[in-house]
Amino acid sequence: MKTLLVYYSRTQITEKIAKTIQKDLDCDIEEITVGDKYDGTIGYIKGGFDASANRVCEINKVTKNPKDYDLVIIGTPVWAATMATPIYSYLKEYGNQIKNLASFCTCGGSGYEKTLKKIAKITGKTPIATMYLTKNEIENPEENINNFENKINNR
């Protein structure tokens, strides 16, 4: 199964999880970037505001087309109880090209259920696997990651 993992990470927490999954599953990876729009304290505040308002932002050009993959895994931090604006923007543009979906999110403690449901709704796909990692779980994510990967592999 040809798999693409697409993620956005402002603070490299989601990136760390994404790269672990990418290595374990030996799949292609695509980082969504937006320049310095959400850097620093002001960027953090702006990101939360944009996410809660369902705003899209201009993302840098992607190099991999999701329609070329059997499975796309989406990874996002949770901002203001929803997905990060760059992932929302990616899904608004490419979500209809996703054949099969898996998704995960990292969060301070809440908003993960809404985030994972919104990813499924935007793509119109029922995910074959989902995972969330709260602040406490991010410190030791191995068991959650293994369970997530097993759901994908045993599909």
Side-chain angles (χ1 to χ4, degrees):
M1 174 168 48
K2 190 172 178 186
T3 303
L4 172 64
L5 193 155
V6 177
Y7 76 95
Y8 172 80
S9 189
R10 192 181 83 84
T11 62
Q12 286 69 55
I13 293 171
T14 305
E15 178 179 54
K16 177 183 167 194
I17 303 302
K19 288 188 174 180
T20 298
I21 294 167
Q22 185 266 333
K23 182 180 175 199
D24 292 348
L25 296 180
D26 191 28
C27 63
D28 290 345
I29 194 165
E30 175 96 61
E31 179 182 13
I32 303 304
T33 59
V34 294
D36 61 359
K37 180 175 182 132
Y38 297 116
D39 288 355
T41 304
I42 298 297
Y44 173 80
I45 294 166
K46 184 172 181 55
F49 182 77
D50 286 353
S52 65
N54 288 319
R55 289 198 172 137
V56 294
C57 66
E58 186 174 329
I59 61 174
N60 293 328
K61 184 173 173 40
V62 297
T63 61
K64 295 169 178 59
N65 191 329
K67 72 180 179 184
D68 296 335
Y69 293 85
D70 302 310
L71 172 68
V72 176
I73 303 169
I74 300 293
T76 183
V78 174
W79 289 2
T82 190
M83 73 187 82
T85 302
I87 288 294
Y88 180 72
S89 301
Y90 176 86
L91 291 176
K92 291 298 273 184
E93 187 169 345
Y94 298 102
N96 64 344
Q97 298 177 27
I98 294 173
K99 296 172 189 165
N100 293 289
L101 172 71
S103 59
F104 71 92
C105 60
T106 58
C107 60
S110 64
Y112 53 84
E113 289 176 341
K114 180 181 170 188
T115 299
L116 294 170
K117 285 179 184 176
K118 191 171 180 180
I119 291 170
K121 183 177 180 181
I122 291 170
T123 61
K125 301 294 179 191
T126 300
I128 63 169
T130 61
M131 174 180 67
Y132 63 88
L133 297 166
T134 62
K135 184 178 180 180
N136 293 336
E137 295 163 326
I138 288 167
E139 294 175 23
N140 294 298
E142 294 80 13
E143 183 177 347
N144 288 336
I145 291 172
N146 286 339
N147 289 338
F148 179 68
E149 293 170 347
N150 286 337
K151 287 178 188 172
I152 291 170
N153 288 328
N154 295 326
R155 170 186 178 270

